Amino acid sequence: VCVEAESALSPHVKAVPSAAMLSLLMVICGCCCQAPYELIMSSDRGCGDLVSLAEAITGIVASTGSAIAEKEWVLPMRSHALLAAAGIAFSMLTNRALASPLPTAMLCTLKNGSLVANVIVGVAVQGKKYARGQVFAVLVVTTGLVLTAGDASGEAESGPFAMSSESLIAVSCLT
């Protein structure tokens, strides 16, 4: 039945890819975009600010034409400025953490485990209410990530809390 329906469509109508296929494509593209960054970071851990600057300039150049052509913006300029400031702050914290002596695998785990940030934004910006069990789970996961980072840093000779101040700052920046 579906084949007959597809053949009845005009030749100009193309099939829409499935959500699973688009999701898979997004994951593959995300990994391919992250690979050059990981290569650069593995050779020079302090280059994050330069990479972030290049990303920002590319984004500004790519979006300037459509921003100028837009007659009326949906969001006020103040919102755009706040979003830009938040993006810069996030990049600076992330770059500070990525320049630390922690292993790259641990940094990626901490970077993607931003549960504390999600809860803070949910409460402060979106007005969400979290159950005690949810907050407790976030604290347990975050504590586990911090302890794992301390153990993976190779600096913990007298327990997981013996991280250097630089590693502790890196973990704080990412959580």
Side-chain angles (χ1 to χ4, degrees):
V1 176
C2 290
V3 174
E4 293 171 357
E6 285 181 17
S7 64
L9 295 174
S10 71
H12 301 292
V13 175
K14 296 183 181 179
V16 176
S18 70
M21 191 59 111
L22 286 174
S23 298
L24 179 64
L25 183 64
M26 292 297 291
V27 168
I28 290 170
C29 289
C31 291
C32 290
C33 291
Q34 190 66 21
Y37 181 72
E38 294 296 328
L39 279 171
I40 293 170
M41 285 299 290
S42 64
S43 63
D44 181 12
R45 293 190 89 144
C47 71
D49 290 331
L50 183 62
V51 172
S52 294
L53 177 65
E55 288 175 350
I57 290 171
T58 302
I60 290 169
V61 169
S63 63
T64 298
S66 61
I68 292 172
E70 195 68 33
K71 294 192 186 316
E72 184 177 331
W73 289 7
V74 177
L75 294 175
M77 183 57 80
R78 180 176 185 265
S79 296
H80 288 281
L82 287 172
L83 287 171
I88 290 169
F90 175 76
S91 291
M92 290 175 66
L93 288 172
T94 302
N95 292 335
R96 171 79 170 128
L98 292 175
S100 73
L102 290 174
T104 305
M106 180 53 56
L107 290 169
C108 289
T109 302
L110 287 170
K111 180 180 173 188
N112 294 320
S114 57
L115 296 172
V116 174
N118 289 337
V119 169
I120 291 171
V121 169
V123 170
V125 176
Q126 298 172 331
K128 289 186 178 181
K129 305 274 188 211
Y130 293 99
R132 288 183 193 157
Q134 290 173 312
V135 174
F136 179 72
V138 167
L139 293 175
V140 168
V141 170
T142 302
T143 302
L145 286 171
V146 169
L147 292 175
T148 305
D151 190 43
S153 68
E155 302 163 356
E157 296 174 5
S158 62
F161 295 106
M163 285 192 283
S164 71
S165 61
E166 189 174 357
S167 294
L168 195 56
I169 290 171
V171 170
S172 300
C173 287
L174 290 175
T175 55

